[in-house]
Amino acid sequence: MDFYQVLQIIIPSMIALAAPLIFTSLGGVFSERAGVINIGLEGLMVIGAFTGIVFNLMLADVFGEWTPWLAVLAAMIAGLLFSILHAVACITFRADQTVSGVAINLLAVGLTMFLVKLIFDKGQTDRITETFPRIDVPLLSDIPFIGPIFFANGYYIVYIAILISFVVWYVLYKTPFGLRIRAVGEHPMAADTMGVNVTKIRYAAVLLSGAFGGIGGAIYATIFSNEFNHATINGQGFMAIAAMIFGKWHPIGAMGAALFFGLAQSLSIVGSSLPFFKDIPSVYLLIAPYVLTIIALTGFIGRADAPKASGQPYIKGKR
Amino acid sequence: MSKYLSKLTSPLIAVILGLVVGAIIMLASGYDPIAGYGSMIGGIIGDSYYVGESVRTIIPYILAGLAVAFAFRTGLFNIGVEGQLIVGWLAAVWVGIAFDLPRIVHLPLAILAGAVAGALWAFIPGYLKAKFRVHEVIVSIMLNYTALYVTNYLIRNVMTDKLDKTERIADTASLRSPFFESITDFSRMHWGIVVAIICVIIMWFILERTKTGFELKAVGFNQHASEYAGMSVNKNIILSMVISGAFAGLAGAMEGLGTFGYAAVKGGFTGMGFDGIAVALLGANTAIGVVLAALLFGGLKAGALNMPLETGIPSEIVDIVIALIIFFVASSYFIRWIAARFKKGVK
């Protein structure tokens, strides 16, 4: 097996595995940039995965090949609605944001598994039949060398994920809304003084993180697990948090980190069939994203500073 | 007296709210909440077997709760209890299998191994926080996953030959008790309850009766003031994480040496570490509060297993209730706000 063939195996699966992480970590970027820590991303992905799969199973007959797309949309709405809990607790009732996030994660798993048992009368859902089709991107896949690696046999949603991270970058850095989000996360009182409604902006950012997390969960479940059970989203949400930190709370950085983590995951899955990689115990690749995050935070890979007001509730009039 | 009452109010309201919302969910799904909670209580104290199993469930909850609470008291959030618990579990089982010693040495050594493994795993976030000001929450979350994958790898490739669980520990390292089994109709209740109670006393003693405990709490209250008073903040951060991790490792050792007698490859987390957060919060981070909260949550968890059998209600309803209780405790501002409104209304 030559190197080119290896790339043809690894790269498409790397990009595909990165897509859910990209969406979810972008959600994290919105929330933390506005000063609200969202440990609950894992739970939001769980809600998204559950909604995506159940929607798919129930309505595949009605919508046919459009089902996965509409399922992702439904998951986005479900994630957004679920994140309201986190927003209310953290912003209005000044709860400890980390604790509330932990509660969101536990609640999401409990609630979805309760519903799965209620609907399906067993511990996991049935398998979905309508998933995203694999496609060759027109024109781009004809590019010699690069085309077959990057643009053949992939999923549209994956390319959309990469495009969206540029959109998020534009929104955060080039629009008034983005400026407000960043201001609220760095110095809420200054923003308030300038007439920015801190509460409103934070709510918007947390709800966005819910929507993105829901999308991420639905994509992961639709492409990779094809069903939903308690272990479907096993740490993907935390890996998205890792990608966000590794990307220094920047949308493009988060995307890059998600791609890198996708590579690590893809190597741990397909590595056993590849020369060179099959000699590395897969455990190293499994723990790589987590260990790298710790190293990044420690400052060995450039300093990564969280938004200043992250984790602090804003209480008007308090100095 | 009123001071204690007001301390109790918001956890109590949180528990009641959690149970009420749980009841509403049961009603909305077409179940009878009274029958549901009834079967749950039956599953906690219905007969001696259930009592024994409830006690067994409570043991790791007490220790996981102590771990979180100890860190909280010193201003740290140890969300890594889950990972420390897993490595403690494996280390204790490893000592239980690898050595051939008389019981009086073997059992304490195995328990100690669990505590040391947990302490070392918690040393990492403590050290990084002290040295590099890295937030302990993210580091310990990342270490949870690292622990999960590393222990799975060790079980599969080092301790066994591609098997999913280790062999059983030697009887000399086991916490199992024929006495408890005989009085609880062969439940898996074991001597770990004694270890848990000793740890409760240790935590209370360290925090309330020693200079170290005073320093730890002082650092938790105000780092700058403690620094000014000549305390080493960094040393105390590391020490606090290490002690917290030792409690967490013990929780794992209890499962490995008592309940199961082996370590198995895990598809996901045990959840005990995260529920420990609930236990600590509800117990207001005090030793005695942790015991009461562990009784509640361990009871809920043990009782939940009886619900599907008797009433067909999925046991996950209890996970929902526990999550809601954490949520309401975290939002205690909301509860205080309502309580304040209520008082005004009465006047």
Side-chain angles (χ1 to χ4, degrees), chain A residues 24-306:
Chain A
T24 312
S25 62
L26 289 174
V29 168
F30 271 121
S31 178
E32 296 229 348
R33 278 289 177 170
V36 182
I37 293 174
N38 200 343
I39 300 281
L41 285 178
E42 172 92 359
L44 296 165
M45 279 187 91
V46 169
I47 294 289
F50 168 79
T51 312
I53 293 293
V54 172
F55 183 96
N56 198 316
L57 286 169
M58 302 230 158
L59 297 167
D61 296 338
V62 184
F63 296 116
E65 63 184 50
W66 285 99
T67 314
W69 297 97
L70 293 167
V72 166
L73 203 66
M76 181 183 97
I77 295 166
L80 185 142
L81 292 176
F82 201 68
S83 68
I84 292 177
L85 281 177
H86 189 57
V88 171
C90 295
I91 302 165
T92 307
F93 293 124
R94 302 171 200 171
D96 183 305
Q97 296 172 3
T98 313
V99 176
S100 164
V102 171
I104 292 282
N105 290 335
L106 293 176
L107 188 59
V109 176
L111 196 60
T112 53
M113 284 314 293
F114 182 80
L115 291 172
V116 164
K117 286 191 178 165
L118 207 61
I119 302 171
F120 298 91
D121 215 17
K122 53 183 179 180
Q124 77 275 344
T125 66
D126 300 325
R127 292 184 77 81
I128 53 169
T129 47
E130 287 289 339
T131 180
F132 289 108
R134 285 186 173 268
I135 44 100
D136 293 339
V137 183
L139 297 177
L140 291 175
S141 62
D142 297 331
I143 303 171
F145 193 77
I146 301 175
I149 301 180
F150 287 98
F151 298 108
N153 207 20
Y155 301 97
Y156 272 121
I157 192 85
V158 172
Y159 303 112
I160 294 173
I162 293 170
L163 284 179
I164 291 274
S165 42
F166 287 97
V167 174
V168 170
W169 167 79
Y170 183 83
V171 168
L172 268 182
Y173 286 91
K174 302 289 171 195
T175 66
F177 176 63
L179 179 64
R180 287 187 187 127
I181 287 186
R182 286 181 294 133
V184 160
E186 289 291 332
H187 202 314
M189 196 165 42
D192 194 5
T193 313
M194 296 304 289
V196 175
N197 187 331
V198 175
T199 308
K200 237 188 214 164
I201 295 286
R202 284 193 168 176
Y203 261 91
V206 174
L207 296 196
L208 274 170
S209 80
F212 275 76
I215 296 175
I219 297 175
Y220 188 84
T222 308
I223 296 184
F224 297 106
S225 68
N226 299 133
E227 59 166 31
F228 181 81
N229 62 47
H230 71 98
T232 298
I233 305 293
N234 186 18
Q236 292 292 318
F238 287 111
M239 209 179 282
I241 294 174
M244 173 192 74
I245 294 170
F246 211 68
K248 299 182 180 174
W249 289 266
H250 189 285
I252 308 296
M255 177 196 67
L259 282 169
F260 180 75
F261 291 169
L263 176 68
Q265 285 193 28
S266 117
L267 283 176
S268 68
I269 295 167
V270 299
S272 57
S273 59
L274 302 175
F276 179 66
F277 287 108
K278 69 168 177 253
D279 299 328
I280 305 175
S282 64
V283 64
Y284 290 113
L285 298 163
L286 281 171
I287 65 173
Y290 308 113
V291 175
L292 282 171
T293 303
I294 295 174
I295 295 172
L297 279 170
T298 311
F300 292 126
I301 312 178
R303 272 221 69 79
D305 284 318

Side-chain angles (χ1 to χ4, degrees), chain A residues 32 37 39 42 85-86 89-90 92-96 98-100 102-104 106-114 117-118 230-231 233-236 238-239 241-242 245 281-284 286-287 289-291 293-294 297-300 303, chain B residues 25-26 29 31 72 77 79 124 128 132-135 137-143 145-150 153 266-269 271 274-275 277-278 281 313-317 319-324 326-327 330-335 337:
Chain A
E32 296 229 348
I37 293 174
I39 300 281
E42 172 92 359
L85 281 177
H86 189 57
C90 295
T92 307
F93 293 124
R94 302 171 200 171
D96 183 305
T98 313
V99 176
S100 164
V102 171
I104 292 282
L106 293 176
L107 188 59
V109 176
L111 196 60
T112 53
M113 284 314 293
F114 182 80
K117 286 191 178 165
L118 207 61
H230 71 98
I233 305 293
N234 186 18
Q236 292 292 318
F238 287 111
M239 209 179 282
I241 294 174
I245 294 170
S282 64
V283 64
Y284 290 113
L286 281 171
I287 65 173
Y290 308 113
V291 175
T293 303
I294 295 174
L297 279 170
T298 311
F300 292 126
R303 272 221 69 79
Chain B
I25 293 173
M26 281 191 256
S29 340
Y31 294 118
F72 260 137
F77 189 8
I79 201 171
I124 304 170
L128 294 180
F132 299 101
R133 298 281 146 223
V134 184
H135 206 293
V137 166
I138 297 292
V139 175
S140 40
I141 287 177
M142 298 301 148
L143 282 174
Y145 284 94
T146 313
L148 182 67
Y149 292 123
V150 169
Y153 174 80
K266 292 178 186 60
F269 290 126
F274 301 115
D275 291 339
I277 298 167
L281 281 175
I313 303 175
S315 59
E316 278 78 9
I317 188 74
D319 296 328
I320 299 176
V321 170
I322 290 181
L324 287 168
I326 306 185
F327 202 75
S331 310
S332 61
Y333 173 76
F334 161 73
I335 292 174
W337 182 77

Side-chain angles (χ1 to χ4, degrees), chain B residues 70-77 122-123 125-127 129-131 133 136 206-207 210-245:
Chain B
F70 193 89
F72 260 137
R73 282 294 279 278
T74 59
L76 297 166
F77 189 8
F123 171 80
Y127 177 77
K129 167 111 182 175
K131 191 93 183 169
R133 298 281 146 223
E136 75 278 10
I206 294 179
L207 282 179
T210 65
K211 177 172 152 274
T212 316
F214 181 80
E215 284 195 11
L216 289 171
K217 282 188 291 181
V219 170
F221 277 126
N222 190 332
Q223 284 198 2
H224 303 294
S226 320
E227 188 96 61
Y228 187 68
M231 301 172 194
S232 165
V233 171
N234 288 347
K235 197 194 88 193
N236 280 307
I237 286 174
I238 296 175
L239 184 64
S240 163
M241 282 305 277
V242 166
I243 296 175
S244 166

